[in-house]
Amino acid sequence: MFEKDAIWSALPMPTLVLNGDNTIARVNPAAESFLYRSRRSLRDKHLYDVVEISILNEAMLGRVRANQSPMVFNDLNVQVPGKASVQCHVQVTPLGEDDDTLLLLISPREIAGKLDRAQSSKSAAKSAIGMAEMLAHEIKNPLAGITGAAQLLSMNLPPDDMELTDLIVTECQRIVKLLEQVEQFGNLRPPERKPVNLHDLLDRARKSAELGFAANVHFISDYDPSLPATMADGDQMLQVFLNLIKNAAEAIARSGQGSTIRIHTFYDRSLRRLIASGETIPVPLQIEIIDDGPGLPPEIASEVFEPFVSGRENGTGLGLALVSKIVSENDGLIATESAPGRTVFRISLPLAPRAKPLSKSKISEDN
């Protein structure tokens, strides 16, 4: 059996242990390389003196301690002073209920590399997505014929034999839904962004859920009424909210645990996101979908936004990947924290720009 120190040193991702005051208690060799500093020089230094993590502030670290539940962030901007920023997956986990020690894991993702390699990867991704869309379209056509033929056959069958045709229809419909998700995931159309009221979208998503898949769920709308508009594609964000609420409702229904979904909005001016141009922009508008179900399975909690990762027996693993893709394309961030009895999906979005007032000369021309 390996000793603890050997396992700690062998961890491939930068890993830090934080004291209750967010000073660094310990780092592994991968963290030394990532932070360009030795463990001796890092010890007892405050976390934010040695690294900047775009969305992870002191308040969120305090929330992990208070709730004793891990938080997972997707595609955060992480920067070591004097070095280029890197996009990373970041996970913060409490080490025990008896103290305030936290484990911080950073998984760097290469975001730039050389321009020719990036362009090649982008072209390859487009080709793969295009192939998937073409196959999805071609498969859906014969499936429609198979479904129709099975329904016609069932009209002349005795009730005992209709079970087989019903199975054909049901499975064809399931495959069509999967193909539709593949087509949505491959949609390369840029979002049509404009100022939208988040509370209007959330109310539409909630009402739709209450009339359908979440009829037995109790909803709590905990809104900040002063929240300004965001700059986003309203239809896409409505789909995001519906997907997250549906996931929460299904988790509650499967487990028989919990009965409440809380929709919480608030403003946090400290959060920023790295966008494609290389700039960082504020993402102060916060939306949380919170359920009191069983929580995410621990084995997939850090990968829930990756394609084909699912906690359901027959899940496709594309729903949350699609949610992450849409949020990212609308210049937002998404993160999750989960523990039995409390799962939170948090979306951070930018502000809509304020309309510029007309100049006096323009007003005179209009009159």
Side-chain angles (χ1 to χ4, degrees):
M1 181 180 291
F2 290 109
E3 295 182 356
K4 290 181 180 179
D5 285 344
I7 296 173
W8 173 257
S9 298
L11 288 172
M13 67 182 66
T15 307
L16 299 84
V17 176
L18 303 181
N19 296 315
D21 58 356
N22 295 328
T23 56
I24 297 172
R26 192 176 183 189
V27 299
N28 70 340
E32 290 182 274
S33 299
F34 182 77
L35 298 171
Y36 300 96
R37 295 178 64 168
S38 69
R39 68 185 70 186
R40 180 175 296 178
S41 69
L42 288 168
R43 188 175 177 84
D44 296 327
K45 291 287 190 299
H46 194 279
L47 174 65
Y48 297 118
D49 289 338
V50 299
V51 65
E52 180 182 335
I53 305 176
S54 59
I55 193 173
L56 190 66
N57 55 27
E58 300 245 16
M60 289 194 173
L61 293 176
R63 181 180 292 185
V64 174
R65 292 186 176 99
N67 296 333
Q68 283 295 300
S69 62
M71 295 181 70
V72 180
F73 301 89
N74 196 39
D75 294 339
L76 294 194
N77 180 33
V78 178
Q79 185 166 22
V80 176
K83 304 295 180 180
S85 61
V86 181
Q87 264 195 331
C88 302
H89 292 316
V90 177
Q91 184 170 359
V92 189
T93 303
L95 282 180
E97 297 181 4
D98 297 333
D99 57 40
D100 289 333
T101 308
L102 297 178
L103 189 70
L104 174 65
L105 299 96
I106 302 172
S107 300
R109 296 185 64 185
E110 197 169 287
I111 57 171
K114 294 184 178 179
L115 288 176
D116 56 346
R117 185 174 61 184
Q119 187 59 44
S120 175
S121 298
K122 189 174 181 180
S123 299
K126 284 186 176 181
S127 298
I129 289 171
M131 179 67 73
E133 285 187 292
M134 181 191 72
L135 286 173
H137 178 74
E138 292 301 319
I139 293 171
K140 282 168 69 176
N141 287 335
L143 280 175
I146 293 169
T147 302
Q151 289 172 332
L152 287 173
L153 284 173
S154 67
M155 294 179 182
N156 300 316
L157 291 175
D160 292 342
D161 294 334
M162 287 178 61
E163 183 179 349
L164 293 175
T165 55
D166 289 344
L167 177 63
I168 293 171
V169 172
T170 300
E171 288 303 299
C172 285
Q173 290 172 343
R174 186 178 66 83
I175 296 171
V176 167
K177 286 182 180 179
L178 173 59
L179 294 173
E180 287 173 348
Q181 282 190 307
V182 171
E183 288 178 323
Q184 286 180 321
F185 193 75
N187 181 11
L188 300 177
R189 176 185 64 83
E192 298 177 4
R193 300 174 65 193
K194 59 184 178 181
V196 293
N197 185 309
L198 285 170
H199 294 153
D200 288 346
L201 295 179
L202 289 167
D203 282 340
R204 286 171 59 190
R206 175 182 55 78
K207 289 175 183 176
S208 177
E210 286 176 327
L211 294 173
F213 55 81
N216 297 320
V217 173
H218 174 59
F219 281 88
I220 299 173
S221 297
D222 181 11
Y223 295 165
D224 176 354
S226 66
L227 209 67
T230 187
M231 195 70 176
D233 186 313
D235 289 339
Q236 290 186 355
M237 293 311 303
L238 178 61
Q239 181 181 357
V240 164
F241 298 147
L242 279 169
N243 280 10
L244 292 179
I245 292 173
K246 186 174 182 180
N247 275 5
E250 288 178 347
I252 289 171
R254 283 197 310 274
S255 66
Q257 301 175 30
S259 60
T260 302
I261 295 176
R262 177 171 166 242
I263 306 175
H264 180 210
T265 65
F266 60 100
Y267 193 92
D268 187 340
R269 66 177 69 249
S270 67
L271 306 181
R272 302 185 68 86
R273 169 189 159 82
L274 179 72
I275 59 175
S277 65
E279 301 174 272
T280 59
I281 62 168
V283 284
L285 308 180
Q286 312 301 314
I287 306 98
E288 292 183 333
I289 309 295
I290 308 167
D291 71 75
D292 58 355
L296 295 169
E299 64 272 16
I300 68 164
S302 62
E303 300 176 337
V304 291
F305 300 116
E306 298 296 328
F308 308 113
V309 174
S310 176
R312 288 184 296 160
E313 184 178 347
N314 295 316
T316 64
L318 289 175
L320 287 177
L322 180 61
V323 163
S324 179
K325 175 177 181 284
I326 291 174
V327 172
S328 179
E329 288 178 348
N330 281 273
D331 287 341
L333 291 168
I334 185 166
T336 182
E337 59 176 296
S338 182
R342 188 175 188 274
T343 297
V344 182
F345 281 89
R346 182 180 305 104
I347 296 170
S348 307
L349 292 172
L351 290 166
R354 293 182 180 178
K356 295 181 179 179
L358 293 174
S359 64
K360 291 182 179 180
S361 59
K362 177 63 176 175
I363 295 173
S364 299
E365 289 174 10
D366 291 342
N367 292 333

